[in-house]
Amino acid sequence: MTSLAGIDPKLKNYIKKNQISEIYECLFCGLLVECPDDPLKWILDNLDRIKETGLINITWDMFISDEEKSKVRPLANAFLDQVFTFGTEDTVPSGEMFARAYNHYYNKLVVETFEAWKKFYLAKKLRERKVRERLEDARRYYKRQVMRVHLTKWKKWKTYVKQRQYDAHNIIVGIYNKSLSRLVFHAWKVVADDSRKTREYFERLERGELDEDTETEGNDSSDNYRDELSMLPRKCSVEIFRNLDLVDLGRCAQVSRSWRVITGAPTLWSNLNFNQVKNKVTDNVVQQLTRKSRPYLLHLNLRQCELSNLVTFKTIAESKNLQDLNLSECCYVNDESLKPIIEGCPALLYLNISRTEISDGTLRCLAKNSSNMQFLSLAYCKKFTDKGLHYIANGKGCRKLIHLDVSGCEQISKSGYRNIATGCRHLQSIFINDNNTLNDDGISFITDHCSHLRCVSLIGSSTIGDESFKRLARHKRITKLRVEGNPHISDSAFKVIGKQCSQLNHLFVVDCQRITDMTLKSLAPLRQLTVVNLADCVRISDSGVRQLVEGTAGTKIREMNLTNCVRVSDVSLLRVAQRCHNLTHLCLCYCEHVTDAGIELLANLGNIYHLDLTGTNIRDQGLASLGIYGQVRSLIVSECRGISDLGIQKFCQKVPDLTALDVSHCMTLTDSAIKSLAFCCRMLTQLNVSGCPLLTDLSMQYLSGVCHYIHILNLSGCIYISDRALKYLRKGCRQLRHLNILYCKSITKSVAIKMRSYCDDVIWSNDVVPQWFQYSMSTNTQHATGEDYHKITQQRIEEQSRRHTHVI
């Protein structure tokens, strides 16, 4: 190409204009591919073809057959153009172009080298990773093998240890079973011996072999004089002595030195309850005990104690840590006696001064000093006025008050309730019982200012209407509501309460005549309702009870009182038995339509604890069914004329843990029923047999010989109970606290007065039995002599004992 550098420019233009290079390219390519036999002829023929088609349509492969054409052009488009440029100055490579070509070649070589090195390095890293993975697999395999070896050894050792433990467990279980069997057999032997002795004791009583001077069965002296109480841990001994009153605690301190040390524990003297021994308390006793326990005295109960000395109250004021003080029904308590206590006890939290002679001076002193007071009871205090409540509203004390009781304080006016509302804004519980001067305005003051109310009691406040209860319903946190004897409250108020008071759990609505089944329907959605008292709401029927127990509240109810709801029948008891599985207390007094069929359904309630069936139509069959699960601890079947000795006998056999029984005015009961009760229920603490005219001294001899834990006994109207019965009770029932012997004409006054030295509360009279006892005069019961009746009763007992010997 460098040899054509000097060609004539006209010639160059001629070659370009006539496309000599394109003609040469197509002819040259066709010769190389087709390879004709006569090249010259082939060239001439194709030149003629070019002449016919023209220079515009010339392509480099136009003389190549379609079969031989290549899909990719082997030469660049401008290759032949560059060949036939004949080395013009523009196309001659310069030094810069050679440098660029060299750099391009060098860079391409570097890239290829780097790519080759990269491939080599990645392959090397891959080989190294594979080697590491194989080493890691080898390590894991080695560890697994080592763990397998150790696990095999540990498994063998663990199997050996488990076998030893299993053998040891079998040995211990065998020893335990033998010891338990020995204890059970010993306990059974003790019970059997006790039952045998009791049976023999009863038989000797019936045969008349025991005279009046013979001691009862439970008073036999024991041969074991070990002081096991002193051997117990100190905390256990203190907890045992905590259940004693002050008199018994003082007696125990005189038994021995060890008991004196135990009774001197500070925790026993931090709570002094003089109410239990109110008839024996004097000013000197209170002064001595409060001085002794002054550093740790927290609770002091002086209810109904006659304290007249001002020094006693000043001594109480020296107990700086005193938190709880009860002076209710203390007739000598006034402003002068309370002032030193209020000023000297800054930690006082609870103060009960109900039924005392306090006036505005006490309230003024409380407003000045009692900044920590939380509980205050002014119930039935008639001498303070609205001015005293004004002191509390404006003073610095009683600002933390959360409980206030102003029951029976009818002297409080509208301004007094305004003072309570403005001064005690943190009230959570308020009791305004037996107050006929309370109206809707007073309730509105309390509801508008006391936003933390939880418990409201309006028992006997009969002048407030539905609007007041609707205002109370705005406090959605109310949990307890008590209303009694209100003729104005209706279903509309409880409809609002049921919607807004979702946390209500205790509802006490008694003797509200306008309450119907719609109220129970409104209360059914309450999820927290546990206590429902609807006594004397006579318009409530089975439909309302069904709606209540079938709602969300049904499964949560634990206590239900339907006293005198005369429209309630066995249908309600069916719903209660199906839904109220947590029911523990049920009262169906004077529900005349309740019969044995409904009572038998209640036997399916395994948690029932207290049952009141006064005035119902229960008979022996229903009474016997109540003891199926043995959960009943307290039963009241007063005025149930269909109950006889046989029903009591069957019931008592199934409930040996019975603690309270009321069979008053069951006139067919005889000494045989008391015999079965005493034999089976030895843990009895309360018994009411008033109005049972067929009971004699023999029944008390049965009772005192076995039941030594009786605290309360009512024998009113038992006309054949004589002085001998009280003698038996003095010997056998040492824990007797309350004895009612009204209308017992065979008991003399001297013996009743003598009984008061053994019993705290004795109520006696020898008046004629009232007519409401409904004794049958046709049988001349009240006119027969005691000896004649005793003989008749002895014969009847012998016949019944022979008939039912297999039962006992």
Side-chain angles (χ1 to χ4, degrees):
M1 293 177 65
T2 56
S3 62
L4 299 177
I7 191 171
D8 188 6
K10 293 181 180 181
L11 182 59
K12 291 181 179 180
N13 293 331
Y14 175 78
I15 293 173
K16 291 181 179 180
K17 182 178 179 182
N18 296 294
Q19 297 183 1
I20 302 299
S21 59
E22 285 80 359
I23 295 171
Y24 175 77
E25 182 180 9
C26 65
L27 292 174
F28 182 72
C29 291
L31 287 172
L32 293 177
V33 175
E34 298 293 336
C35 298
D37 296 335
D38 189 358
L40 293 177
K41 184 180 178 182
W42 185 84
I43 291 174
L44 292 175
D45 293 336
N46 289 327
L47 287 175
D48 293 337
R49 184 179 174 184
I50 292 172
K51 185 176 179 181
E52 293 175 358
T53 59
L55 298 176
I56 297 174
N57 299 322
I58 295 176
T59 58
W60 69 274
D61 57 348
M62 64 182 297
F63 301 125
I64 301 175
S65 60
D66 294 335
E67 293 81 4
E68 300 295 336
K69 282 184 179 181
S70 175
K71 295 180 181 181
V72 181
R73 187 175 181 179
L75 299 177
N77 293 332
F79 178 74
L80 293 179
D81 294 339
Q82 294 176 359
V83 173
F84 288 96
T85 55
F86 301 105
T88 59
E89 294 180 356
D90 297 333
T91 59
V92 175
S94 60
E96 183 180 356
M97 294 174 65
F98 279 112
R100 291 175 61 188
Y102 175 76
N103 290 333
H104 175 73
Y105 174 75
Y106 177 76
N107 291 335
K108 186 177 181 181
L109 188 62
V110 170
V111 170
E112 293 177 354
T113 304
F114 177 75
E115 292 294 336
W117 174 82
K118 184 178 178 181
K119 292 180 181 180
F120 170 75
Y121 180 76
L122 292 177
K124 181 180 178 182
K125 295 293 288 184
L126 181 61
R127 288 195 301 272
E128 292 178 353
R129 187 172 70 250
K130 290 182 178 181
V131 171
R132 286 196 301 270
E133 291 177 355
R134 292 180 64 184
L135 290 175
E136 187 65 27
D137 293 340
R139 291 192 191 95
R140 281 198 297 268
Y141 177 75
Y142 175 74
K143 290 181 180 180
R144 194 178 295 110
Q145 292 296 326
V146 172
M147 290 178 64
R148 184 178 290 109
V149 171
H150 289 292
L151 182 62
T152 303
K153 294 181 180 180
W154 175 83
K155 187 177 180 181
K156 293 180 180 179
W157 176 80
K158 194 64 178 177
T159 303
Y160 171 72
V161 171
K162 283 188 175 182
Q163 184 62 35
R164 291 189 60 185
Q165 291 178 350
Y166 179 75
D167 297 339
H169 174 72
N170 291 336
I171 295 173
I172 294 173
V173 168
I175 296 174
Y176 171 78
N177 290 333
K178 291 180 181 178
S179 302
L180 184 61
S181 301
R182 188 179 294 110
L183 292 175
V184 171
F185 180 77
H186 178 70
W188 172 82
K189 187 175 182 299
V190 170
V191 173
D193 292 342
D194 190 25
S195 301
R196 179 179 53 80
K197 292 179 181 179
T198 304
R199 186 181 293 107
E200 292 176 355
Y201 174 75
F202 286 171
E203 292 175 355
R204 293 173 64 188
L205 286 178
E206 295 172 0
R207 293 194 299 266
E209 297 179 2
L210 296 179
D211 55 10
E212 297 183 6
D213 298 329
T214 305
E215 292 290 335
T216 58
E217 180 213 10
N219 294 328
D220 296 334
S221 59
S222 176
D223 295 333
N224 190 2
Y225 294 96
R226 289 192 310 167
D227 185 9
E228 297 182 354
L229 188 61
S230 301
M231 301 172 62
L232 294 174
R234 180 67 179 273
K235 291 183 179 180
C236 297
S237 303
V238 171
E239 287 297 325
I240 293 174
F241 280 109
R242 192 189 295 276
N243 299 314
L244 302 178
D245 56 29
L246 295 176
V247 175
D248 293 337
L249 203 60
R251 292 171 179 171
C252 291
Q254 301 175 3
V255 172
S256 63
R257 294 181 180 179
S258 59
W259 282 32
R260 184 177 182 83
V261 173
I262 296 173
T263 55
T267 54
L268 294 177
W269 300 97
S270 63
N271 185 357
L272 298 181
N273 188 359
F274 290 99
N275 179 252
Q276 297 177 347
V277 290
K278 57 188 176 184
N279 297 326
K280 303 177 182 179
V281 173
T282 61
D283 289 295
N284 293 330
V285 173
V286 175
Q287 293 175 19
Q288 292 177 4
L289 291 180
T290 51
R291 286 195 183 100
K292 176 183 178 181
S293 57
R294 180 176 54 190
Y296 32 80
L297 182 60
L298 300 177
H299 308 275
L300 180 60
N301 186 358
L302 295 169
R303 182 172 179 266
Q304 296 180 343
C305 297
E306 297 182 359
L307 305 177
S308 58
N309 195 342
L310 185 60
V311 179
T312 302
F313 297 96
K314 291 182 179 180
T315 305
I316 296 173
E318 296 176 359
S319 303
K320 303 298 181 181
N321 298 321
L322 186 63
Q323 297 180 4
D324 183 5
L325 178 60
N326 188 347
L327 296 173
S328 61
E329 302 182 45
C330 294
C331 56
Y332 296 105
V333 172
N334 51 32
D335 296 342
E336 183 181 2
S337 58
L338 275 178
K339 185 176 180 180
I341 296 177
I342 297 173
E343 293 178 351
C345 300
L348 198 61
L349 300 177
Y350 305 92
L351 179 62
N352 188 346
I353 48 178
S354 59
R355 300 182 186 274
T356 58
E357 301 297 324
I358 62 104
S359 63
D360 295 338
T362 298
L363 300 186
R364 184 176 184 179
C365 190
L366 287 172
K368 288 182 179 180
N369 302 282
S370 300
S371 58
N372 296 318
M373 185 72 66
Q374 296 182 3
F375 179 100
L376 179 61
S377 177
L378 303 173
Y380 304 98
C381 295
K382 302 293 185 178
K383 293 187 176 182
F384 73 89
T385 62
D386 294 340
K387 187 177 181 180
L389 298 176
H390 179 72
Y391 291 144
I392 291 180
N394 297 322
K396 65 178 181 179
C398 298
R399 290 294 179 180
K400 299 180 181 179
L401 208 63
I402 61 176
H403 178 95
L404 179 62
D405 189 354
V406 290
S407 301
C409 300
E410 296 184 351
Q411 71 274 17
I412 301 177
S413 63
K414 185 188 301 184
S415 60
Y417 290 111
R418 184 188 295 110
N419 293 329
I420 292 175
T422 56
C424 307
R425 294 180 178 269
H426 299 285
L427 275 180
Q428 296 182 9
S429 301
I430 184 166
F431 287 70
I432 317 178
N433 303 327
D434 299 328
N435 194 334
N436 291 324
T437 61
L438 177 66
N439 52 25
D440 293 337
D441 295 335
I443 295 295
S444 64
F445 291 140
I446 295 173
T447 55
D448 293 341
H449 294 84
C450 302
S451 59
H452 302 283
L453 282 178
R454 300 287 188 277
C455 176
V456 179
S457 180
L458 301 172
I459 297 175
S461 300
S462 58
T463 57
I464 55 178
D466 287 342
E467 290 300 324
S468 296
F469 291 98
K470 291 179 181 179
R471 287 178 177 270
L472 286 173
R474 298 176 185 175
H475 298 274
K476 299 182 179 181
R477 298 180 181 179
I478 287 183
T479 58
K480 294 183 180 181
L481 180 61
R482 299 178 180 179
V483 186
E484 181 178 353
N486 192 320
H488 303 293
I489 187 171
S490 63
D491 296 333
S492 60
F494 285 100
K495 185 177 181 180
V496 178
I497 292 173
K499 288 182 179 180
Q500 298 187 7
C501 301
S502 59
Q503 298 183 13
L504 188 67
N505 57 33
H506 186 117
L507 183 62
F508 185 95
V509 184
V510 176
D511 194 18
C512 297
Q513 303 300 325
R514 298 181 64 186
I515 299 300
T516 66
D517 294 338
M518 294 302 298
T519 293
L520 300 187
K521 183 179 179 181
S522 303
L523 299 175
L526 297 178
R527 297 179 179 272
Q528 306 298 329
L529 193 61
T530 57
V531 179
V532 181
N533 191 337
L534 302 170
D536 297 324
C537 296
V538 294
R539 300 179 67 181
I540 291 177
S541 64
D542 293 333
S543 176
V545 177
R546 177 183 61 81
Q547 292 175 352
L548 177 63
V549 300
E550 289 183 354
T552 55
T555 57
K556 297 293 185 64
I557 293 178
R558 292 182 299 178
E559 299 181 17
M560 181 180 294
N561 190 344
L562 299 175
T563 297
N564 205 25
C565 296
V566 293
R567 299 184 183 183
V568 173
S569 65
D570 296 339
V571 178
S572 296
L573 299 188
L574 174 62
R575 300 297 183 183
V576 169
Q578 291 175 346
R579 293 280 297 171
C580 303
H581 301 294
N582 294 320
L583 194 66
T584 58
H585 291 68
L586 179 61
C587 185
L588 299 171
C589 299
Y590 304 108
C591 295
E592 300 174 353
H593 299 290
V594 174
T595 62
D596 287 347
I599 299 301
E600 291 177 0
L601 295 173
L602 295 179
N604 297 323
L605 298 175
N607 295 322
I608 198 74
Y609 182 88
H610 171 81
L611 196 58
D612 190 348
L613 301 174
T614 300
T616 58
N617 291 322
I618 183 175
R619 298 184 180 276
D620 292 341
Q621 181 180 355
L623 183 61
S625 66
L626 287 176
I628 291 178
Y629 292 100
Q631 298 295 329
V632 179
R633 296 293 180 271
S634 176
L635 177 65
I636 302 176
V637 286
S638 177
E639 301 181 26
C640 296
R641 305 299 175 87
I643 294 178
S644 64
D645 296 344
L646 183 60
I648 295 293
Q649 184 178 9
K650 292 182 178 180
F651 172 74
C652 293
Q653 288 175 352
K654 299 176 182 178
V655 285
D657 296 328
L658 188 69
T659 58
L661 179 63
D662 186 350
V663 290
S664 57
H665 302 284
C666 296
M667 298 185 181
T668 60
L669 297 185
T670 64
D671 294 338
S672 178
I674 304 301
K675 177 182 178 181
S676 303
L677 177 65
F679 186 83
C680 300
C681 306
R682 306 190 180 189
M683 305 304 295
L684 201 65
T685 59
Q686 300 180 21
L687 179 61
N688 187 350
V689 291
S690 63
C692 298
L694 302 182
L695 299 184
T696 66
D697 294 338
L698 184 61
S699 61
M700 294 300 104
Q701 198 168 4
Y702 289 142
L703 202 65
S704 61
V706 181
C707 300
H708 307 302
Y709 304 103
I710 292 182
H711 296 162
I712 301 174
L713 182 60
N714 191 343
L715 302 175
S716 300
C718 297
I719 55 179
Y720 298 111
I721 297 293
S722 65
D723 296 341
R724 295 173 57 191
L726 299 189
K727 184 175 181 180
Y728 299 145
L729 292 176
R730 287 198 304 269
K731 294 180 180 180
C733 302
R734 299 294 180 86
Q735 298 187 19
L736 190 63
R737 295 291 180 267
H738 302 278
L739 178 62
N740 194 333
I741 45 178
L742 294 173
Y743 317 121
C744 296
K745 64 178 183 179
S746 299
I747 298 178
T748 60
K749 184 177 181 180
S750 59
V751 175
I753 294 175
K754 182 179 180 181
M755 192 66 186
R756 291 177 180 174
S757 60
Y758 298 91
C759 184
D760 295 337
D761 187 14
V762 178
I763 303 175
W764 170 85
S765 74
N766 59 352
D767 299 336
V768 179
V769 179
Q771 293 182 357
W772 58 269
F773 271 64
Q774 299 180 2
Y775 285 177
S776 176
M777 302 302 296
S778 61
T779 58
N780 297 324
T781 304
Q782 297 189 24
H783 300 284
T785 61
E787 295 179 359
D788 296 336
Y789 183 77
H790 184 68
K791 293 179 180 179
I792 297 172
T793 306
Q794 287 281 24
Q795 295 176 0
R796 183 171 59 253
I797 290 174
E798 291 177 359
E799 292 176 0
Q800 292 183 354
S801 62
R802 286 193 300 268
R803 189 181 305 156
H804 305 296
T805 302
H806 66 282
V807 179
I808 300 181

